Amino acid sequence: MTQHSKTVRGGRPAFFDSPETDRLLAMIVRLLSEQSVLAERVKTLETLLDQLGVLTAEQIEQFTPSPQVDEAWMQTRMQLIKDVLESGANIEGSTK
Amino acid sequence: MAGLNHTLALKKNLDQRARERFTSSLRAYTLVDLADQLRSDYSEEQTAVEHPHQSGEDVHRFLKSRDLFKWYSSLRCTAQELVWQSTLRALDEDRTTLAGLSGVTQVAPEKSAVGGSLALDPKLSLPSYIDTMDVHLMPGNYQGDREDVSVHPGAVYDNGLEVFSFGVMGEHLDDIGHSMANFTRLRWPGLTVDTVVDVGCTIGHNTLPWKQAFPDAQVYGLDIAAPCLRYGHARAESLGVAAHFRQANCDQLPFDDGSVDVVFSSMFLHELPRNVINDFFKEAYRILRPGGLIIHMELPPNEALAPYDAFYLDWDCFYNNEPFYKEFRDLSYPALCRDAGFDESAFFQATLPRYTYVDEQEFRDAIDRTASFDEDTGRLSDTITWYAFGSRKQG
Ligand SMILES: C[S@@+](CC[C@H](N)C(=O)[O-])C[C@H]1O[C@@H](n2cnc3c(N)ncnc32)[C@H](O)[C@@H]1O
């Protein structure tokens, strides 16, 4: 698939003392965008399931994971926390 | 966000649509919520000062080092980049909608289902300023690379503008065109309008409303960027409106002396170097018949604005790749018309509510009032008012 270039001739400006801060902000915003996309996909599914009579919104709200499922999810959560908070740990001078 | 409402609209999947909704919301948040905060913080700080700022430059210098300004500006640039990125992605993924539109250079009215036409001029020499900077951070600018035979830059512009404008620019992104054409119709009921030329029309979104307001007129859309015109022609066909798209430089308009009733432009002058603006005005004067009208929808001139409002609009010049924007807005618009040959007494200006959002009486009332300037003038929001100026050729 050919991709159209995202390069902007003339560039875009930075505003903070370090341009890296602008870059980080752009990344956070992009993540926020993906979070919004995912949330809307979940809501789409829930709405359709409800409309088709498969599940009601109430059933979804009432859901509690079984102890095994709860344990598995906890592992995943911990892994996510480590993955995110420990990334960048190799950066010299950053908090270990 | 309803999405584009014609057959050329790119097909977007659920995630792409959600991404665009997000970008629109982010823009609304930045341009409304954050911008309001920036303004109110500023006025609070400035209430009791001994020497209030005299100009937009003063305000800019003062705010530049403020955290909120950095925050607002950085987010605004990021939102601007997201506008084009989501559109480019849709363009990469949808290979069918625009297939078959590439390579077209001439379409005669007889070959068009609605009587419109397209005439590109592959020999036209393009000015160099269009390649040096991608205006408003739009990758590829209006023309793509110079050999671009596709409609892609037009599609990027159309789909991007839809996200960019967060629903405030009309059903087909055409409220400016409707507002200006109907302003003309209502303000000069006796004016004969047989030929209208929209210069710098891009994809013709504000050209077509002239045909809708004046169904018997021949309506032309001119631009220098072939891919946008190619797209604009296909878009007009899809919407069933007859318009004639011509590739031309505004410093040499392909019309005989005295042959045109209305020369119109929208958001165009601020993207031109000063000498090109002058040349364009002279050309407009030449092709107008005596009694003909020149009307430009534009950003309001700095001289009419309070320092903060001037600063606010000039932001684009410094941070959104609009190199000519401030220089244009610093000009005297009456002098611009006068220097091209228009009689000084014929100068007019107006600030108007959006025609397709208000009822006709409210719009008429605004026509009867003298132009008034405030924070809504030309500032994209759901309370925006459009600014227009122009003149009539004597005779
Ligand atoms: C901001 S766009 C105009 C937008 C459009 N009229 C609207 O109402 O939204 C500026 C347009 O001017 C065109 N342009 C730039 N220089 C030009 C020139 N010298 N002659 C004709 N068109 C030119 C660009 O290709 C671009 O399509």
Side-chain angles (χ1 to χ4, degrees):
Chain A
M1 192 171 75
T2 52
Q3 288 212 339
H4 288 85
S5 164
K6 290 184 196 164
T7 305
V8 172
R9 282 172 295 185
R12 67 148 270 194
F15 299 90
F16 294 101
D17 295 340
S18 160
E20 298 307 323
T21 308
D22 293 86
R23 184 151 191 189
L24 281 174
L25 179 58
M27 287 181 189
I28 292 170
V29 169
R30 193 72 178 79
L31 273 175
L32 190 60
S33 140
E34 292 311 309
Q35 132 88 30
S36 167
V37 167
L38 260 181
E40 291 192 4
R41 179 163 279 268
V42 172
K43 276 185 285 190
T44 304
L45 282 173
E46 290 181 358
T47 309
L48 285 176
L49 287 171
D50 192 15
Q51 279 172 8
L52 294 170
V54 182
L55 281 174
T56 65
E58 187 58 22
Q59 282 172 308
I60 293 172
E61 289 311 323
Q62 294 301 326
F63 177 80
T64 326
S66 67
Q68 295 93 313
V69 173
D70 197 25
E71 173 64 25
W73 283 12
M74 202 258 295
Q75 305 270 352
T76 316
R77 254 182 346 253
M78 284 311 288
Q79 192 57 50
L80 180 65
I81 289 171
K82 287 185 191 157
D83 286 349
V84 174
L85 295 190
E86 292 172 9
S87 58
N90 295 321
I91 297 173
E92 272 179 57
S94 85
T95 324
K96 293 280 180 272
Chain B
M1 252 173 69
L4 293 178
N5 209 348
H6 54 71
T7 56
L8 268 59
L10 292 173
K11 304 216 171 34
K12 293 160 190 167
N13 63 27
L14 182 65
D15 287 0
Q16 283 168 334
R17 296 197 301 275
R19 224 169 260 128
E20 297 194 342
R21 281 194 292 271
F22 174 85
T23 304
S24 270
S25 303
L26 177 69
R27 269 186 57 77
Y29 167 77
T30 311
L31 293 172
V32 180
D33 299 58
L34 277 187
D36 283 350
Q37 203 189 332
L38 192 64
R39 170 189 297 274
S40 64
D41 285 9
Y42 173 81
S43 13
E44 227 168 84
E45 276 192 71
Q46 288 291 302
T47 33
V49 296
E50 211 174 313
H51 303 291
H53 294 144
Q54 297 297 310
S55 66
E57 287 94 327
D58 288 350
V59 179
H60 187 200
R61 229 172 286 122
F62 173 79
L63 282 178
K64 236 176 140 162
S65 56
R66 300 293 161 119
D67 286 339
L68 186 59
F69 173 81
K70 296 179 187 176
W71 196 244
Y72 162 85
S73 301
S74 196
L75 275 174
R76 196 169 155 186
C77 282
T78 295
Q80 184 80 14
E81 290 186 287
L82 290 182
V83 165
W84 308 120
Q85 285 174 12
S86 62
T87 305
L88 289 172
R89 177 138 163 192
L91 195 58
D92 288 337
E93 288 178 16
D94 177 357
R95 294 276 139 183
T96 50
T97 303
L98 304 177
L101 297 176
S102 287
V104 182
T105 56
Q106 311 292 326
V107 179
E110 308 81 66
K111 290 273 157 62
S112 146
V114 297
S117 69
L118 174 72
L120 303 183
D121 177 2
K123 288 204 218 46
L124 186 71
S125 87
L126 304 180
S128 58
Y129 66 86
I130 62 170
D131 294 317
T132 46
M133 217 179 234
D134 289 336
V135 176
H136 30 67
L137 312 187
M138 183 170 70
N141 215 11
Y142 301 98
Q143 73 283 354
D145 67 48
R146 284 175 174 237
E147 279 74 47
D148 198 327
V149 295
S150 76
V151 295
H152 293 163
V156 170
Y157 186 85
D158 198 11
N159 288 270
L161 189 59
E162 164 73 13
V163 180
F164 173 90
S165 59
F166 50 94
V168 306
M169 292 185 103
E171 191 194 349
H172 296 291
L173 305 171
D174 56 356
D175 187 84
I176 293 174
H178 284 294
S179 293
M180 297 302 133
N182 286 290
F183 169 69
T184 302
R185 178 176 66 82
L186 295 167
R187 163 117 186 219
W188 295 283
L191 184 75
T192 306
V193 179
D194 292 332
T195 311
V196 179
V197 181
D198 175 7
V199 185
C201 70
T202 313
I203 56 168
H205 48 307
N206 288 316
T207 316
L208 306 189
W210 287 89
K211 183 69 181 173
Q212 291 158 319
F214 299 101
D216 296 330
Q218 295 291 319
V219 174
Y220 292 84
L222 267 62
D223 203 280
I224 204 150
C228 282
L229 292 167
R230 198 179 280 122
Y231 181 90
H233 167 72
R235 179 183 176 279
E237 297 283 297
S238 161
L239 289 167
V241 182
H244 305 291
F245 291 94
R246 299 278 179 274
Q247 188 180 14
N249 192 328
C250 66
D251 64 8
Q252 216 175 348
L253 298 173
F255 293 91
D256 293 336
D257 295 3
S259 64
V260 168
D261 301 297
V262 178
V263 174
F264 164 65
S265 84
S266 152
M267 298 297 270
F268 173 55
L269 304 173
H270 71 255
E271 294 199 2
L272 301 177
R274 179 64 206 275
N275 62 320
V276 181
I277 298 181
N278 289 347
D279 292 348
F280 168 42
F281 269 67
K282 295 209 177 85
E283 275 295 271
Y285 188 83
R286 177 185 68 77
I287 68 172
L288 279 178
R289 60 151 171 95
L293 175 77
I294 184 169
I295 173 168
H296 302 287
M297 179 277 159
E298 254 304 342
L299 295 152
N302 274 328
E303 64 183 12
L305 297 185
Y308 187 89
D309 296 328
F311 145 77
Y312 187 81
L313 290 183
D314 277 336
W315 184 94
D316 289 82
C317 186
F318 303 114
Y319 307 118
N320 201 20
N321 285 2
E322 291 273 16
F324 309 120
Y325 194 104
K326 182 171 184 328
E327 190 185 356
F328 166 69
R329 297 189 48 252
D330 282 339
L331 292 174
S332 153
Y333 300 174
L336 206 53
C337 297
R338 183 200 58 211
D339 294 347
F342 292 95
D343 201 284
E344 212 149 352
S345 63
F347 180 81
F348 68 85
Q349 60 180 357
T351 46
L352 302 163
R354 296 169 298 164
Y355 184 78
T356 63
Y357 293 76
V358 299
D359 60 40
E360 190 151 304
Q361 193 51 50
E362 190 180 338
F363 192 78
R364 276 176 185 275
D365 292 345
I367 293 178
D368 293 337
R369 283 194 294 270
T370 43
S372 64
F373 299 86
D374 60 26
E375 64 194 66
D376 282 332
T377 322
R379 181 179 86 123
L380 204 60
S381 75
D382 56 8
T383 48
I384 191 169
T385 49
W386 306 127
Y387 172 77
F389 75 94
S391 193
R392 301 222 8 214
K393 188 166 170 173
Q394 314 74 304

